[in-house]
Amino acid sequence: MHIDLTNKTVLVTGATGELGRVMAITLAACGADLVIHYLKNEAKAQELVREIEAIGQRAIAVQADVTDGSSIATMKEAITQQMQHVDIVVANAVIQYQWTSVLEQSPEDYLSQFESCVMQSVHLAKAFLPAMIERKQGRFIGINTECSMQNFPTQSAYVAGKRGMDGLYRILAKEIGEHQITVNQVAPGWTVSDKVRAAGTERSASYEQNVALKRRGTDQEIANVVAFLASDLASFITGAYIPVTGGNVMPAI
């Protein structure tokens, strides 16, 4: 048994980011063709395209503002011309901002998180789900966070956006399930990425003391769960919020 995404096309938003890049490469290694979304960093997107082509898969880079429905629609047209359709959407992009207390956080930061966590997925759903419904197959995967369960001080804007996203995904799973399309969320913990490795900051005693596995997870471990959910092996999983946190957070029944 192995993860086989042959003849599948995957769109990864925010694919030039730390986690996005590893997700894209992992999905390509499973046999998928990739649509590499970027906002500003075209050079890194094209570099990732070449890396995926070296694996033997097709890849294109597309630019869009994921908070803008018209920009997503334009991206869809570009994808349709070059790749025909998208079988799997991975909503990974998110706006970065400085965290502070509720009383000090600017209203614009709450709006940015709503737009990049909730509205991005709404725009992507409207653009790509109708064709999936027509084909009676597809995967819609969102990247959430363990912060949604932690609710620590200074997390308010991020958690508000991601909790809104959680509600959207659960309802969407029920609305389109009859068409054999699954809708799931992967919730990483504080993840070790290439930037962290380069800085030599993989370990954190204060964080790890609350993690059941006593370590931080890696970008590859997050990407592995995304690849699983994208595959036929996860055909009967939908509406799930799956923490990939080493036991740092544990949803209860």
Side-chain angles (χ1 to χ4, degrees):
M1 183 180 294
H2 67 285
I3 295 175
D4 183 5
L5 298 178
T6 304
N7 298 323
K8 301 295 185 184
T9 299
V10 186
L11 164 63
V12 179
T13 69
T16 58
E18 292 286 293
L19 286 181
R21 175 183 167 278
V22 179
M23 289 177 199
I25 292 171
T26 300
L27 292 162
C30 294
D33 295 329
L34 266 295
V35 177
I36 303 301
H37 161 265
Y38 69 96
L39 176 61
K40 296 179 180 177
N41 201 335
E42 182 179 6
K44 186 171 282 190
Q46 294 297 346
E47 179 183 327
L48 183 53
V49 165
R50 290 190 292 271
E51 197 168 349
I52 289 168
E53 289 175 339
I55 295 174
Q57 298 303 129
R58 290 183 65 204
I60 61 171
V62 291
Q63 190 278 338
D65 176 355
V66 295
T67 69
D68 182 340
S70 62
S71 185
I72 292 285
T74 299
M75 177 177 73
K76 180 200 169 188
E77 292 306 312
I79 294 169
T80 301
Q81 290 175 12
Q82 299 179 72
M83 291 288 209
Q84 293 190 328
H85 61 256
V86 167
D87 301 285
I88 300 153
V89 170
V90 181
N92 168 67
V94 67
I95 292 173
Q96 301 297 325
Y97 71 101
Q98 187 171 354
W99 294 8
T100 186
S101 69
V102 173
L103 297 183
E104 296 175 332
Q105 198 82 61
S106 74
E108 289 76 19
D109 291 330
Y110 291 95
L111 290 172
S112 82
Q113 294 310 290
F114 183 82
E115 289 173 347
S116 64
C117 296
V118 178
M119 292 311 300
Q120 170 188 189
S121 294
V122 170
H123 296 321
L124 290 170
K126 289 180 180 292
F128 296 102
L129 284 180
M132 292 186 193
I133 289 171
E134 220 174 279
R135 297 194 305 277
K136 296 288 184 182
Q137 61 176 338
R139 299 285 184 267
F140 201 85
I141 302 167
I143 306 304
N144 205 296
T145 172
E146 69 176 357
C147 300
S148 295
M149 293 187 63
Q150 292 171 320
N151 303 305
F152 289 156
T154 76
Q155 294 181 342
S156 65
Y158 189 47
V159 168
K162 291 298 189 182
R163 276 184 169 261
M165 174 183 169
D166 177 69
L168 172 69
Y169 275 63
R170 291 172 190 265
I171 292 168
L172 187 59
K174 292 182 178 181
E175 290 181 347
I176 65 172
E178 65 181 298
H179 303 291
Q180 304 309 305
I181 301 165
T182 65
V183 181
N184 292 295
Q185 299 171 82
V186 176
W190 189 24
T191 305
V192 175
S193 64
D194 283 346
K195 188 179 291 185
V196 173
R197 295 183 187 98
T201 55
E202 295 96 326
R203 305 307 300 265
S204 171
S206 61
Y207 177 82
E208 292 169 6
Q209 68 179 349
N210 295 316
V211 179
L213 296 181
K214 302 303 178 189
R215 65 177 178 85
R216 291 169 63 185
T218 68
D219 44 14
Q220 187 61 63
E221 289 171 315
I222 307 304
N224 291 347
V225 179
V226 172
F228 167 70
L229 289 174
S231 76
D232 289 341
L233 298 178
S235 58
F236 205 59
I237 299 173
T238 197
Y241 165 96
I242 303 176
V244 189
T245 68
N248 193 39
V249 297
M250 300 181 183
I253 59 171

